[in-house]
Amino acid sequence: MGRGDREMVTQAFQNFAHSSNDLVLAAHFNEYGTRLVTSSADHRIRVFDLNQEHWQLTDLWRGHNGQVFDVKWNGPKMGQVLGSIGDDLKLKIWQEDPTEAHHSGRRFKCVFSQSSGHSVVYTSLDFVNPNKDTYLAIVTRDGLLSLLEPINPEKFDDWREIDQILVCDEHIARGVESCFKLCFQQTTHPNNMAITAGLDKSALSIAVTAMSEVMVYRVIKITGLGGQELYKFQDPVAVLGGAEGLVRSVAWSAEVWRPQDWIATAAADGYIRIYEISTPKENTAQIASPTVPPRTTFSNAGEAASKTGMRAPSGIGAGLDRASLAASFSSLGVGQIRHEAKCVEKIKHEGVWEVQWMSNRHILISSGDSGQARMWRQAHNGKWHEFADFGPE
């Protein structure tokens, strides 16, 4: 990166005191980049607002009785709403009360709280807002993935669980390091090529790290016995392998006009991997069977706890090598179409912990142990290269 590029990037970013007395574990901007929420090991959540190019602390409060592992904004059209998870086994939903003063510690009120049903901590959460709806996904340390929605779409004080699925084959014993992170594709509908190939335009797209792999789900609505349409998990449409260590972060680009989807991962082996997910044209003649494929389901969290370490029977051919860098699936569930996945780039970034697509959907940013954030984009020849970095020298 040239000196001019470095100066341009440096001017675009600024440092400010986060006021935490301990390690900051998560940070998330709202959609417009004007509000920032952080969570930390000191049990507190902090909200900052951008005021004339300077970040100012709006409020801080004790969010959990333990470390706050993750915190996210809900979509801006849904009001000023946050979700957080902590070491106290709780998921909490916070809603801003503009009548309360700044710095009062009471500006964000907890309107909903839920404990992990089988005494295993939540490790990651994310919101998505297709049209005027809100959905929340959470995953636990042992790989139990849940999808929730508010009972009243205009209020957030009561939520219901729609479905659950275990995303990992292996039992995770206490004391064993694990990593389960998730993200939605932040779009109102899936990739246009996938819709053309037959995927329901209301499908939710979720990527979940499962130890050294990433499970890719298209969650579609299935009509139940009572005639009600509800989102249901089925087998993953792709499994992204190749990492020689835990996958610490996953990010799904929100670009829907590109012929393929892009999913980026950061792994403990010190590599960023970028995968392309495509939907072959022959899908138009292969729309799925009318029967829901068998999988593990739970009537309550206690049942899930008793079977943790088991996973739904896979619809993947027995000859599939999950450690390969490409995956193709031909056994389809209800409303599912065939997806093909391949790793198109493997980038060395020693000590990488986090990847995220920027708002323009074509630039990837990564960060890690060095404290440096590095920015990557695709050249005309299809290769990815670093074009900027910033942070401590």
Side-chain angles (χ1 to χ4, degrees), residues 265-266 272 347-349 352-356 364-368 371-376 386 390:
T265 65
I272 301 166
I347 306 168
K348 186 66 174 178
H349 182 169
V352 65
W353 276 89
E354 189 77 23
V355 287
Q356 194 64 250
L364 182 70
I365 186 167
S366 63
S367 60
Q372 290 275 341
R374 304 169 68 179
M375 303 173 75
W376 312 85
E386 181 182 1
F390 57 93

mmCIF file with all atom_site columns, all heavy atoms in Angstrom, residues 265-266 272 347-349 352-356 364-368 371-376 386 390:
data_model
loop_
_atom_site.group_PDB
_atom_site.id
_atom_site.type_symbol
_atom_site.label_atom_id
_atom_site.label_alt_id
_atom_site.label_comp_id
_atom_site.label_asym_id
_atom_site.label_entity_id
_atom_site.label_seq_id
_atom_site.pdbx_PDB_ins_code
_atom_site.Cartn_x
_atom_site.Cartn_y
_atom_site.Cartn_z
_atom_site.occupancy
_atom_site.B_iso_or_equiv
_atom_site.pdbx_formal_charge
_atom_site.auth_seq_id
_atom_site.auth_comp_id
_atom_site.auth_asym_id
_atom_site.auth_atom_id
_atom_site.pdbx_PDB_model_num
ATOM 1   N N   . THR A 1 265 ? -14.309 -16.580 5.742  1.00 0.00 ? 265 THR A N   1
ATOM 2   C CA  . THR A 1 265 ? -14.070 -17.149 7.068  1.00 0.00 ? 265 THR A CA  1
ATOM 3   C C   . THR A 1 265 ? -12.680 -16.765 7.555  1.00 0.00 ? 265 THR A C   1
ATOM 4   O O   . THR A 1 265 ? -11.771 -16.504 6.766  1.00 0.00 ? 265 THR A O   1
ATOM 5   C CB  . THR A 1 265 ? -14.182 -18.685 7.064  1.00 0.00 ? 265 THR A CB  1
ATOM 6   O OG1 . THR A 1 265 ? -13.127 -19.247 6.253  1.00 0.00 ? 265 THR A OG1 1
ATOM 7   C CG2 . THR A 1 265 ? -15.525 -19.137 6.520  1.00 0.00 ? 265 THR A CG2 1
ATOM 8   N N   . ALA A 1 266 ? -12.529 -16.734 8.880  1.00 0.00 ? 266 ALA A N   1
ATOM 9   C CA  . ALA A 1 266 ? -11.223 -16.559 9.516  1.00 0.00 ? 266 ALA A CA  1
ATOM 10  C C   . ALA A 1 266 ? -10.985 -17.757 10.423 1.00 0.00 ? 266 ALA A C   1
ATOM 11  O O   . ALA A 1 266 ? -11.848 -18.094 11.245 1.00 0.00 ? 266 ALA A O   1
ATOM 12  C CB  . ALA A 1 266 ? -11.190 -15.269 10.330 1.00 0.00 ? 266 ALA A CB  1
ATOM 13  N N   . ILE A 1 272 ? -7.467  -16.556 5.970  1.00 0.00 ? 272 ILE A N   1
ATOM 14  C CA  . ILE A 1 272 ? -8.798  -16.135 5.533  1.00 0.00 ? 272 ILE A CA  1
ATOM 15  C C   . ILE A 1 272 ? -9.135  -16.967 4.300  1.00 0.00 ? 272 ILE A C   1
ATOM 16  O O   . ILE A 1 272 ? -8.298  -17.137 3.408  1.00 0.00 ? 272 ILE A O   1
ATOM 17  C CB  . ILE A 1 272 ? -8.806  -14.638 5.162  1.00 0.00 ? 272 ILE A CB  1
ATOM 18  C CG1 . ILE A 1 272 ? -8.389  -13.776 6.355  1.00 0.00 ? 272 ILE A CG1 1
ATOM 19  C CG2 . ILE A 1 272 ? -10.159 -14.219 4.623  1.00 0.00 ? 272 ILE A CG2 1
ATOM 20  C CD1 . ILE A 1 272 ? -8.049  -12.343 5.957  1.00 0.00 ? 272 ILE A CD1 1
ATOM 21  N N   . ILE A 1 347 ? -6.016  -16.672 1.946  1.00 0.00 ? 347 ILE A N   1
ATOM 22  C CA  . ILE A 1 347 ? -5.152  -15.524 2.201  1.00 0.00 ? 347 ILE A CA  1
ATOM 23  C C   . ILE A 1 347 ? -4.504  -15.665 3.573  1.00 0.00 ? 347 ILE A C   1
ATOM 24  O O   . ILE A 1 347 ? -5.189  -15.879 4.568  1.00 0.00 ? 347 ILE A O   1
ATOM 25  C CB  . ILE A 1 347 ? -5.965  -14.213 2.160  1.00 0.00 ? 347 ILE A CB  1
ATOM 26  C CG1 . ILE A 1 347 ? -6.742  -14.085 0.846  1.00 0.00 ? 347 ILE A CG1 1
ATOM 27  C CG2 . ILE A 1 347 ? -5.058  -13.009 2.361  1.00 0.00 ? 347 ILE A CG2 1
ATOM 28  C CD1 . ILE A 1 347 ? -7.783  -12.981 0.862  1.00 0.00 ? 347 ILE A CD1 1
ATOM 29  N N   . LYS A 1 348 ? -3.199  -15.504 3.630  1.00 0.00 ? 348 LYS A N   1
ATOM 30  C CA  . LYS A 1 348 ? -2.493  -15.587 4.902  1.00 0.00 ? 348 LYS A CA  1
ATOM 31  C C   . LYS A 1 348 ? -2.682  -14.309 5.698  1.00 0.00 ? 348 LYS A C   1
ATOM 32  O O   . LYS A 1 348 ? -2.421  -13.206 5.219  1.00 0.00 ? 348 LYS A O   1
ATOM 33  C CB  . LYS A 1 348 ? -0.994  -15.823 4.658  1.00 0.00 ? 348 LYS A CB  1
ATOM 34  C CG  . LYS A 1 348 ? -0.193  -16.059 5.938  1.00 0.00 ? 348 LYS A CG  1
ATOM 35  C CD  . LYS A 1 348 ? -0.598  -17.366 6.617  1.00 0.00 ? 348 LYS A CD  1
ATOM 36  C CE  . LYS A 1 348 ? 0.288   -17.680 7.810  1.00 0.00 ? 348 LYS A CE  1
ATOM 37  N NZ  . LYS A 1 348 ? -0.134  -18.922 8.505  1.00 0.00 ? 348 LYS A NZ  1
ATOM 38  N N   . HIS A 1 349 ? -3.199  -14.432 6.926  1.00 0.00 ? 349 HIS A N   1
ATOM 39  C CA  . HIS A 1 349 ? -3.284  -13.321 7.881  1.00 0.00 ? 349 HIS A CA  1
ATOM 40  C C   . HIS A 1 349 ? -3.044  -13.931 9.252  1.00 0.00 ? 349 HIS A C   1
ATOM 41  O O   . HIS A 1 349 ? -3.972  -14.424 9.891  1.00 0.00 ? 349 HIS A O   1
ATOM 42  C CB  . HIS A 1 349 ? -4.653  -12.630 7.803  1.00 0.00 ? 349 HIS A CB  1
ATOM 43  C CG  . HIS A 1 349 ? -4.767  -11.461 8.732  1.00 0.00 ? 349 HIS A CG  1
ATOM 44  N ND1 . HIS A 1 349 ? -5.808  -10.555 8.680  1.00 0.00 ? 349 HIS A ND1 1
ATOM 45  C CD2 . HIS A 1 349 ? -3.974  -11.017 9.756  1.00 0.00 ? 349 HIS A CD2 1
ATOM 46  C CE1 . HIS A 1 349 ? -5.655  -9.638  9.608  1.00 0.00 ? 349 HIS A CE1 1
ATOM 47  N NE2 . HIS A 1 349 ? -4.545  -9.915  10.279 1.00 0.00 ? 349 HIS A NE2 1
ATOM 48  N N   . VAL A 1 352 ? -5.428  -14.075 12.662 1.00 0.00 ? 352 VAL A N   1
ATOM 49  C CA  . VAL A 1 352 ? -6.712  -13.462 12.308 1.00 0.00 ? 352 VAL A CA  1
ATOM 50  C C   . VAL A 1 352 ? -7.828  -13.988 13.202 1.00 0.00 ? 352 VAL A C   1
ATOM 51  O O   . VAL A 1 352 ? -7.883  -15.176 13.523 1.00 0.00 ? 352 VAL A O   1
ATOM 52  C CB  . VAL A 1 352 ? -7.050  -13.696 10.816 1.00 0.00 ? 352 VAL A CB  1
ATOM 53  C CG1 . VAL A 1 352 ? -7.257  -15.181 10.514 1.00 0.00 ? 352 VAL A CG1 1
ATOM 54  C CG2 . VAL A 1 352 ? -8.265  -12.879 10.398 1.00 0.00 ? 352 VAL A CG2 1
ATOM 55  N N   . TRP A 1 353 ? -8.714  -13.090 13.625 1.00 0.00 ? 353 TRP A N   1
ATOM 56  C CA  . TRP A 1 353 ? -9.841  -13.460 14.486 1.00 0.00 ? 353 TRP A CA  1
ATOM 57  C C   . TRP A 1 353 ? -11.191 -13.104 13.882 1.00 0.00 ? 353 TRP A C   1
ATOM 58  O O   . TRP A 1 353 ? -12.195 -13.731 14.204 1.00 0.00 ? 353 TRP A O   1
ATOM 59  C CB  . TRP A 1 353 ? -9.713  -12.768 15.856 1.00 0.00 ? 353 TRP A CB  1
ATOM 60  C CG  . TRP A 1 353 ? -8.832  -13.492 16.817 1.00 0.00 ? 353 TRP A CG  1
ATOM 61  C CD1 . TRP A 1 353 ? -7.484  -13.337 16.970 1.00 0.00 ? 353 TRP A CD1 1
ATOM 62  C CD2 . TRP A 1 353 ? -9.226  -14.500 17.758 1.00 0.00 ? 353 TRP A CD2 1
ATOM 63  N NE1 . TRP A 1 353 ? -7.010  -14.188 17.953 1.00 0.00 ? 353 TRP A NE1 1
ATOM 64  C CE2 . TRP A 1 353 ? -8.066  -14.913 18.458 1.00 0.00 ? 353 TRP A CE2 1
ATOM 65  C CE3 . TRP A 1 353 ? -10.443 -15.091 18.076 1.00 0.00 ? 353 TRP A CE3 1
ATOM 66  C CZ2 . TRP A 1 353 ? -8.084  -15.878 19.455 1.00 0.00 ? 353 TRP A CZ2 1
ATOM 67  C CZ3 . TRP A 1 353 ? -10.462 -16.059 19.083 1.00 0.00 ? 353 TRP A CZ3 1
ATOM 68  C CH2 . TRP A 1 353 ? -9.302  -16.451 19.749 1.00 0.00 ? 353 TRP A CH2 1
ATOM 69  N N   . GLU A 1 354 ? -11.225 -12.088 13.055 1.00 0.00 ? 354 GLU A N   1
ATOM 70  C CA  . GLU A 1 354 ? -12.520 -11.560 12.620 1.00 0.00 ? 354 GLU A CA  1
ATOM 71  C C   . GLU A 1 354 ? -12.473 -11.158 11.156 1.00 0.00 ? 354 GLU A C   1
ATOM 72  O O   . GLU A 1 354 ? -11.478 -10.605 10.672 1.00 0.00 ? 354 GLU A O   1
ATOM 73  C CB  . GLU A 1 354 ? -12.897 -10.330 13.463 1.00 0.00 ? 354 GLU A CB  1
ATOM 74  C CG  . GLU A 1 354 ? -14.308 -9.814  13.260 1.00 0.00 ? 354 GLU A CG  1
ATOM 75  C CD  . GLU A 1 354 ? -15.361 -10.647 13.964 1.00 0.00 ? 354 GLU A CD  1
ATOM 76  O OE1 . GLU A 1 354 ? -15.011 -11.341 14.936 1.00 0.00 ? 354 GLU A OE1 1
ATOM 77  O OE2 . GLU A 1 354 ? -16.533 -10.592 13.548 1.00 0.00 ? 354 GLU A OE2 1
ATOM 78  N N   . VAL A 1 355 ? -13.562 -11.455 10.432 1.00 0.00 ? 355 VAL A N   1
ATOM 79  C CA  . VAL A 1 355 ? -13.747 -10.958 9.070  1.00 0.00 ? 355 VAL A CA  1
ATOM 80  C C   . VAL A 1 355 ? -15.137 -10.340 8.973  1.00 0.00 ? 355 VAL A C   1
ATOM 81  O O   . VAL A 1 355 ? -16.073 -10.760 9.658  1.00 0.00 ? 355 VAL A O   1
ATOM 82  C CB  . VAL A 1 355 ? -13.595 -12.067 8.005  1.00 0.00 ? 355 VAL A CB  1
ATOM 83  C CG1 . VAL A 1 355 ? -12.144 -12.476 7.847  1.00 0.00 ? 355 VAL A CG1 1
ATOM 84  C CG2 . VAL A 1 355 ? -14.475 -13.267 8.312  1.00 0.00 ? 355 VAL A CG2 1
ATOM 85  N N   . GLN A 1 356 ? -15.251 -9.328  8.117  1.00 0.00 ? 356 GLN A N   1
ATOM 86  C CA  . GLN A 1 356 ? -16.543 -8.659  7.926  1.00 0.00 ? 356 GLN A CA  1
ATOM 87  C C   . GLN A 1 356 ? -16.538 -7.980  6.564  1.00 0.00 ? 356 GLN A C   1
ATOM 88  O O   . GLN A 1 356 ? -15.530 -7.393  6.159  1.00 0.00 ? 356 GLN A O   1
ATOM 89  C CB  . GLN A 1 356 ? -16.768 -7.618  9.029  1.00 0.00 ? 356 GLN A CB  1
ATOM 90  C CG  . GLN A 1 356 ? -18.196 -7.110  9.123  1.00 0.00 ? 356 GLN A CG  1
ATOM 91  C CD  . GLN A 1 356 ? -19.170 -8.211  9.503  1.00 0.00 ? 356 GLN A CD  1
ATOM 92  O OE1 . GLN A 1 356 ? -19.979 -8.628  8.684  1.00 0.00 ? 356 GLN A OE1 1
ATOM 93  N NE2 . GLN A 1 356 ? -19.077 -8.689  10.734 1.00 0.00 ? 356 GLN A NE2 1
ATOM 94  N N   . LEU A 1 364 ? -13.585 -6.713  1.818  1.00 0.00 ? 364 LEU A N   1
ATOM 95  C CA  . LEU A 1 364 ? -13.527 -7.526  3.027  1.00 0.00 ? 364 LEU A CA  1
ATOM 96  C C   . LEU A 1 364 ? -12.514 -6.908  3.978  1.00 0.00 ? 364 LEU A C   1
ATOM 97  O O   . LEU A 1 364 ? -11.423 -6.487  3.562  1.00 0.00 ? 364 LEU A O   1
ATOM 98  C CB  . LEU A 1 364 ? -13.116 -8.957  2.678  1.00 0.00 ? 364 LEU A CB  1
ATOM 99  C CG  . LEU A 1 364 ? -13.060 -9.959  3.835  1.00 0.00 ? 364 LEU A CG  1
ATOM 100 C CD1 . LEU A 1 364 ? -14.462 -10.267 4.339  1.00 0.00 ? 364 LEU A CD1 1
ATOM 101 C CD2 . LEU A 1 364 ? -12.355 -11.243 3.394  1.00 0.00 ? 364 LEU A CD2 1
ATOM 102 N N   . ILE A 1 365 ? -12.856 -6.848  5.244  1.00 0.00 ? 365 ILE A N   1
ATOM 103 C CA  . ILE A 1 365 ? -11.944 -6.331  6.257  1.00 0.00 ? 365 ILE A CA  1
ATOM 104 C C   . ILE A 1 365 ? -11.678 -7.429  7.279  1.00 0.00 ? 365 ILE A C   1
ATOM 105 O O   . ILE A 1 365 ? -12.583 -8.178  7.655  1.00 0.00 ? 365 ILE A O   1
ATOM 106 C CB  . ILE A 1 365 ? -12.508 -5.050  6.919  1.00 0.00 ? 365 ILE A CB  1
ATOM 107 C CG1 . ILE A 1 365 ? -11.487 -4.431  7.876  1.00 0.00 ? 365 ILE A CG1 1
ATOM 108 C CG2 . ILE A 1 365 ? -13.816 -5.329  7.641  1.00 0.00 ? 365 ILE A CG2 1
ATOM 109 C CD1 . ILE A 1 365 ? -11.848 -3.031  8.304  1.00 0.00 ? 365 ILE A CD1 1
ATOM 110 N N   . SER A 1 366 ? -10.416 -7.564  7.696  1.00 0.00 ? 366 SER A N   1
ATOM 111 C CA  . SER A 1 366 ? -10.037 -8.588  8.671  1.00 0.00 ? 366 SER A CA  1
ATOM 112 C C   . SER A 1 366 ? -9.206  -7.953  9.768  1.00 0.00 ? 366 SER A C   1
ATOM 113 O O   . SER A 1 366 ? -8.530  -6.935  9.557  1.00 0.00 ? 366 SER A O   1
ATOM 114 C CB  . SER A 1 366 ? -9.248  -9.715  7.991  1.00 0.00 ? 366 SER A CB  1
ATOM 115 O OG  . SER A 1 366 ? -8.027  -9.226  7.451  1.00 0.00 ? 366 SER A OG  1
ATOM 116 N N   . SER A 1 367 ? -9.240  -8.548  10.950 1.00 0.00 ? 367 SER A N   1
ATOM 117 C CA  . SER A 1 367 ? -8.447  -8.066  12.077 1.00 0.00 ? 367 SER A CA  1
ATOM 118 C C   . SER A 1 367 ? -8.017  -9.246  12.925 1.00 0.00 ? 367 SER A C   1
ATOM 119 O O   . SER A 1 367 ? -8.616  -10.327 12.860 1.00 0.00 ? 367 SER A O   1
ATOM 120 C CB  . SER A 1 367 ? -9.244  -7.059  12.921 1.00 0.00 ? 367 SER A CB  1
ATOM 121 O OG  . SER A 1 367 ? -10.414 -7.665  13.441 1.00 0.00 ? 367 SER A OG  1
ATOM 122 N N   . GLY A 1 368 ? -6.986  -9.022  13.735 1.00 0.00 ? 368 GLY A N   1
ATOM 123 C CA  . GLY A 1 368 ? -6.474  -10.138 14.522 1.00 0.00 ? 368 GLY A CA  1
ATOM 124 C C   . GLY A 1 368 ? -5.573  -9.693  15.646 1.00 0.00 ? 368 GLY A C   1
ATOM 125 O O   . GLY A 1 368 ? -5.673  -8.572  16.164 1.00 0.00 ? 368 GLY A O   1
ATOM 126 N N   . GLY A 1 371 ? -3.641  -6.203  16.069 1.00 0.00 ? 371 GLY A N   1
ATOM 127 C CA  . GLY A 1 371 ? -4.354  -4.949  16.227 1.00 0.00 ? 371 GLY A CA  1
ATOM 128 C C   . GLY A 1 371 ? -4.546  -4.205  14.924 1.00 0.00 ? 371 GLY A C   1
ATOM 129 O O   . GLY A 1 371 ? -5.229  -3.176  14.877 1.00 0.00 ? 371 GLY A O   1
ATOM 130 N N   . GLN A 1 372 ? -3.964  -4.709  13.847 1.00 0.00 ? 372 GLN A N   1
ATOM 131 C CA  . GLN A 1 372 ? -4.121  -4.107  12.533 1.00 0.00 ? 372 GLN A CA  1
ATOM 132 C C   . GLN A 1 372 ? -5.396  -4.622  11.871 1.00 0.00 ? 372 GLN A C   1
ATOM 133 O O   . GLN A 1 372 ? -5.715  -5.802  11.963 1.00 0.00 ? 372 GLN A O   1
ATOM 134 C CB  . GLN A 1 372 ? -2.919  -4.471  11.636 1.00 0.00 ? 372 GLN A CB  1
ATOM 135 C CG  . GLN A 1 372 ? -1.617  -3.827  12.029 1.00 0.00 ? 372 GLN A CG  1
ATOM 136 C CD  . GLN A 1 372 ? -1.462  -2.436  11.450 1.00 0.00 ? 372 GLN A CD  1
ATOM 137 O OE1 . GLN A 1 372 ? -2.132  -2.071  10.489 1.00 0.00 ? 372 GLN A OE1 1
ATOM 138 N NE2 . GLN A 1 372 ? -0.578  -1.649  12.030 1.00 0.00 ? 372 GLN A NE2 1
ATOM 139 N N   . ALA A 1 373 ? -6.109  -3.726  11.220 1.00 0.00 ? 373 ALA A N   1
ATOM 140 C CA  . ALA A 1 373 ? -7.220  -4.119  10.366 1.00 0.00 ? 373 ALA A CA  1
ATOM 141 C C   . ALA A 1 373 ? -6.738  -4.044  8.921  1.00 0.00 ? 373 ALA A C   1
ATOM 142 O O   . ALA A 1 373 ? -6.105  -3.052  8.517  1.00 0.00 ? 373 ALA A O   1
ATOM 143 C CB  . ALA A 1 373 ? -8.419  -3.205  10.576 1.00 0.00 ? 373 ALA A CB  1
ATOM 144 N N   . ARG A 1 374 ? -7.028  -5.074  8.151  1.00 0.00 ? 374 ARG A N   1
ATOM 145 C CA  . ARG A 1 374 ? -6.549  -5.153  6.772  1.00 0.00 ? 374 ARG A CA  1
ATOM 146 C C   . ARG A 1 374 ? -7.738  -5.248  5.832  1.00 0.00 ? 374 ARG A C   1
ATOM 147 O O   . ARG A 1 374 ? -8.715  -5.932  6.129  1.00 0.00 ? 374 ARG A O   1
ATOM 148 C CB  . ARG A 1 374 ? -5.601  -6.356  6.608  1.00 0.00 ? 374 ARG A CB  1
ATOM 149 C CG  . ARG A 1 374 ? -4.434  -6.317  7.579  1.00 0.00 ? 374 ARG A CG  1
ATOM 150 C CD  . ARG A 1 374 ? -3.631  -7.613  7.625  1.00 0.00 ? 374 ARG A CD  1
ATOM 151 N NE  . ARG A 1 374 ? -2.913  -7.850  6.392  1.00 0.00 ? 374 ARG A NE  1
ATOM 152 C CZ  . ARG A 1 374 ? -2.113  -8.906  6.184  1.00 0.00 ? 374 ARG A CZ  1
ATOM 153 N NH1 . ARG A 1 374 ? -1.948  -9.807  7.153  1.00 0.00 ? 374 ARG A NH1 1
ATOM 154 N NH2 . ARG A 1 374 ? -1.493  -9.067  5.035  1.00 0.00 ? 374 ARG A NH2 1
ATOM 155 N N   . MET A 1 375 ? -7.638  -4.571  4.686  1.00 0.00 ? 375 MET A N   1
ATOM 156 C CA  . MET A 1 375 ? -8.746  -4.481  3.741  1.00 0.00 ? 375 MET A CA  1
ATOM 157 C C   . MET A 1 375 ? -8.363  -5.175  2.441  1.00 0.00 ? 375 MET A C   1
ATOM 158 O O   . MET A 1 375 ? -7.260  -4.983  1.915  1.00 0.00 ? 375 MET A O   1
ATOM 159 C CB  . MET A 1 375 ? -9.119  -3.018  3.509  1.00 0.00 ? 375 MET A CB  1
ATOM 160 C CG  . MET A 1 375 ? -9.487  -2.284  4.797  1.00 0.00 ? 375 MET A CG  1
ATOM 161 S SD  . MET A 1 375 ? -9.754  -0.515  4.596  1.00 0.00 ? 375 MET A SD  1
ATOM 162 C CE  . MET A 1 375 ? -11.360 -0.529  3.807  1.00 0.00 ? 375 MET A CE  1
ATOM 163 N N   . TRP A 1 376 ? -9.308  -5.973  1.915  1.00 0.00 ? 376 TRP A N   1
ATOM 164 C CA  . TRP A 1 376 ? -9.050  -6.824  0.761  1.00 0.00 ? 376 TRP A CA  1
ATOM 165 C C   . TRP A 1 376 ? -10.133 -6.598  -0.294 1.00 0.00 ? 376 TRP A C   1
ATOM 166 O O   . TRP A 1 376 ? -11.287 -6.388  0.039  1.00 0.00 ? 376 TRP A O   1
ATOM 167 C CB  . TRP A 1 376 ? -9.059  -8.304  1.167  1.00 0.00 ? 376 TRP A CB  1
ATOM 168 C CG  . TRP A 1 376 ? -8.255  -8.620  2.386  1.00 0.00 ? 376 TRP A CG  1
ATOM 169 C CD1 . TRP A 1 376 ? -8.668  -8.523  3.685  1.00 0.00 ? 376 TRP A CD1 1
ATOM 170 C CD2 . TRP A 1 376 ? -6.898  -9.065  2.431  1.00 0.00 ? 376 TRP A CD2 1
ATOM 171 N NE1 . TRP A 1 376 ? -7.664  -8.888  4.552  1.00 0.00 ? 376 TRP A NE1 1
ATOM 172 C CE2 . TRP A 1 376 ? -6.564  -9.227  3.810  1.00 0.00 ? 376 TRP A CE2 1
ATOM 173 C CE3 . TRP A 1 376 ? -5.942  -9.344  1.467  1.00 0.00 ? 376 TRP A CE3 1
ATOM 174 C CZ2 . TRP A 1 376 ? -5.311  -9.662  4.216  1.00 0.00 ? 376 TRP A CZ2 1
ATOM 175 C CZ3 . TRP A 1 376 ? -4.696  -9.777  1.873  1.00 0.00 ? 376 TRP A CZ3 1
ATOM 176 C CH2 . TRP A 1 376 ? -4.388  -9.931  3.233  1.00 0.00 ? 376 TRP A CH2 1
ATOM 177 N N   . GLU A 1 386 ? -4.538  -7.276  -0.780 1.00 0.00 ? 386 GLU A N   1
ATOM 178 C CA  . GLU A 1 386 ? -4.673  -6.253  0.258  1.00 0.00 ? 386 GLU A CA  1
ATOM 179 C C   . GLU A 1 386 ? -4.406  -4.882  -0.348 1.00 0.00 ? 386 GLU A C   1
ATOM 180 O O   . GLU A 1 386 ? -3.423  -4.688  -1.055 1.00 0.00 ? 386 GLU A O   1
ATOM 181 C CB  . GLU A 1 386 ? -3.688  -6.520  1.396  1.00 0.00 ? 386 GLU A CB  1
ATOM 182 C CG  . GLU A 1 386 ? -3.776  -5.515  2.535  1.00 0.00 ? 386 GLU A CG  1
ATOM 183 C CD  . GLU A 1 386 ? -2.757  -5.786  3.629  1.00 0.00 ? 386 GLU A CD  1
ATOM 184 O OE1 . GLU A 1 386 ? -1.973  -6.756  3.488  1.00 0.00 ? 386 GLU A OE1 1
ATOM 185 O OE2 . GLU A 1 386 ? -2.735  -5.005  4.604  1.00 0.00 ? 386 GLU A OE2 1
ATOM 186 N N   . PHE A 1 390 ? -4.716  -0.410  8.595  1.00 0.00 ? 390 PHE A N   1
ATOM 187 C CA  . PHE A 1 390 ? -4.654  0.679   9.557  1.00 0.00 ? 390 PHE A CA  1
ATOM 188 C C   . PHE A 1 390 ? -4.652  0.085   10.947 1.00 0.00 ? 390 PHE A C   1
ATOM 189 O O   . PHE A 1 390 ? -5.029  -1.059  11.173 1.00 0.00 ? 390 PHE A O   1
ATOM 190 C CB  . PHE A 1 390 ? -5.832  1.644   9.381  1.00 0.00 ? 390 PHE A CB  1
ATOM 191 C CG  . PHE A 1 390 ? -7.185  0.998   9.481  1.00 0.00 ? 390 PHE A CG  1
ATOM 192 C CD1 . PHE A 1 390 ? -7.869  0.952   10.681 1.00 0.00 ? 390 PHE A CD1 1
ATOM 193 C CD2 . PHE A 1 390 ? -7.763  0.424   8.360  1.00 0.00 ? 390 PHE A CD2 1
ATOM 194 C CE1 . PHE A 1 390 ? -9.112  0.352   10.766 1.00 0.00 ? 390 PHE A CE1 1
ATOM 195 C CE2 . PHE A 1 390 ? -9.010  -0.186  8.441  1.00 0.00 ? 390 PHE A CE2 1
ATOM 196 C CZ  . PHE A 1 390 ? -9.690  -0.215  9.642  1.00 0.00 ? 390 PHE A CZ  1
#
